[in-house]
Amino acid sequence: MKHKVSRRVISLRWVPFICISFFVLGAIFTSRSWEPSSDSGSQLISQRHRDHELQIVSDDCDHKKKATQEKDVIDQVLKTQEAIQSLDKSVSTLQKELSSKRTSQEAETLSSSLAGANPKKKVFMVMGINTAFSSRKRRDSLRGTWMPQGEKLEKLEKEKGIVIKFMIGHSATSNSILDRAIDSEDAQHKDFLRLEHVEGYHELSAKTKIFFSTAVSRWDAEFYIKVDDDVHVNLGMLASTLARHRSKPRVYIGCMKSGPVLAQKTVKYHEPEYWKFGEEGNKYFRHATGQIYAISKDLAKYISINQPILHKYANEDVSLGSWFIGLEVEHIDDRNFCCGTPPDCRWKAEAGDVCVASFEWSCSGICKSVERMKIVHEVCSEGEEAVWNALL
């Protein structure tokens, strides 16, 4: 049996109306869902403006913070540099003090080892008279005038602390007739200081170093003097002059000069290393003339310790002056160390200004000193008692 299915059919005239209604509703819903409101737009703009301002403030803070950090770093670097410089100065000062102390201790050790079992004798001054094998007559001219002999020489050392010795090395040939002649002369007068040095005119710089080193090893003196054997000396005035400077640690006393550097090979005082002193025609640095000069204990010790590395120029007095360049040394220019022979020394004595030493520049000593030393002594001498009365 067949059943009929009932169907509810919507009238065709309602279909268009329904479609239009759904379209309108969909349009209204879509418009409300996607179209932003004016309030939301304003909020979005404000939010973006605030974000921009915050970004600017943040960037400005970051810039200021970075600048502050850079300034702090620079300040810290400057403080570090100042601290390093201060530390460098402190280290430099300590190094100088340590070097000075070490130098003093090494000098004492060296001197003690050289002296052996015999302790060094403390004296006021040690004078080394530079002489040569051929200068016997010059030595005798000094022994007969201003240089005490025999018992007086010994007494001068014991009572006044003044040591005077002729300094000489040895010949190139061992135990030669020249060396034996000096040995014989020394046995007679007992006034020589023998040096470990081969004699030669062009070796005066080396001889000077060895003299100071040898003297330091044998005597603990306040001053060490080098003088040539053709110079007249007033011992009392020399000792009194040195005594006025005994409180100074490093002194270099003499007639200071600055002669020309001679590049010509044919002249007497030719300087082979003239190029070291600058352009041709330049002068040497200030240094004491070689006829006579004195140095204090510390400088003599300095020479003794550094002897192997001290450079030797052609001229001995230039060499000595060069060794003190760069050191804290007081150069004392005393013109009484280079008086002329009569009548110059007599005029000064009459004016109450007795000379320490007299010689003639033209001869780098007293011309014909063997014949004239006695005449110069008679006119320029301070008197035999002056050295004994000198207040040291």
Side-chain angles (χ1 to χ4, degrees), residues 51-285:
D51 290 343
H52 181 65
E53 288 179 344
L54 288 173
Q55 183 65 37
I56 292 174
V57 172
S58 176
D59 291 344
D60 186 55
C61 289
D62 290 342
H63 177 72
K64 289 182 178 179
K65 184 176 180 181
K66 185 176 180 182
T68 302
Q69 290 176 342
E70 290 178 351
K71 186 177 183 299
D72 290 342
V73 170
I74 293 173
D75 290 342
Q76 190 64 34
V77 169
L78 292 175
K79 289 179 180 178
T80 303
Q81 289 178 340
E82 290 175 357
I84 292 173
Q85 290 175 353
S86 177
L87 183 61
D88 286 342
K89 290 180 180 178
S90 300
V91 171
S92 178
T93 301
L94 289 173
Q95 285 177 335
K96 288 180 181 178
E97 292 177 356
L98 180 61
S99 177
S100 177
K101 187 68 176 177
R102 186 187 297 117
T103 296
S104 179
Q105 291 176 344
E106 288 176 353
E108 294 296 334
T109 303
L110 177 63
S111 299
S112 298
S113 63
L114 292 174
N118 299 322
K120 292 191 297 182
K121 186 174 182 181
K122 190 171 183 62
V123 297
F124 176 65
M125 72 182 202
V126 175
M127 173 184 283
I129 305 174
N130 184 38
T131 192
F133 290 118
S134 59
S135 299
R136 173 64 189 263
K137 291 183 178 181
R138 283 190 178 185
R139 293 190 289 272
D140 286 340
S141 71
L142 300 191
R143 293 178 181 127
T145 53
W146 61 265
M147 181 179 176
Q149 286 299 292
E151 293 181 358
K152 288 185 177 180
L153 190 63
E154 294 179 5
K155 182 181 178 182
L156 190 64
E157 180 176 342
K158 291 178 180 178
E159 295 186 8
K160 305 298 292 187
I162 297 176
V163 178
I164 306 174
K165 299 289 184 182
F166 288 107
M167 58 165 172
I168 193 167
H170 54 81
S171 65
T173 304
S174 178
N175 197 31
S176 69
I177 188 173
L178 297 175
D179 292 311
R180 293 198 298 272
I182 293 297
D183 291 340
S184 176
E185 189 178 344
D186 189 29
Q188 178 184 355
H189 296 283
K190 295 181 173 56
D191 56 5
F192 277 91
L193 175 62
R194 299 304 298 270
L195 307 176
E196 290 299 321
H197 167 74
V198 177
E199 284 292 317
Y201 178 78
H202 295 292
E203 296 298 327
L204 288 179
S205 294
K207 185 176 182 179
T208 300
K209 288 198 296 184
I210 295 172
F211 160 65
F212 286 122
S213 299
T214 305
V216 165
S217 72
R218 293 188 57 176
W219 295 280
D220 181 13
E222 295 184 51
F223 294 96
Y224 296 84
I225 302 100
K226 177 263 176 182
V227 61
D228 289 339
D229 61 5
D230 55 356
V231 173
H232 181 270
V233 178
N234 281 319
L235 293 173
M237 182 54 64
L238 173 61
S240 298
T241 300
L242 296 180
R244 294 199 298 269
H245 302 291
R246 70 193 314 172
S247 63
K248 302 171 183 177
R250 293 170 297 278
V251 291
Y252 172 34
I253 311 171
C255 280
M256 299 295 164
K257 66 174 185 177
S258 178
V261 180
L262 302 177
Q264 298 83 2
K265 294 182 178 180
T266 56
V267 298
K268 182 178 181 181
Y269 297 110
H270 165 61
E271 177 57 72
E273 297 180 271
Y274 62 90
W275 59 274
K276 289 185 177 181
F277 299 91
E279 300 300 325
E280 186 173 347
N282 281 358
K283 292 185 177 183
Y284 287 113
F285 40 80

Side-chain angles (χ1 to χ4, degrees), residues 322-340:
S322 72
W323 299 337
F324 301 148
I325 290 179
L327 302 183
E328 288 293 338
V329 177
E330 181 177 353
H331 290 57
I332 299 175
D333 183 18
D334 191 332
R335 309 316 288 181
N336 278 339
F337 274 67
C338 53
C339 294

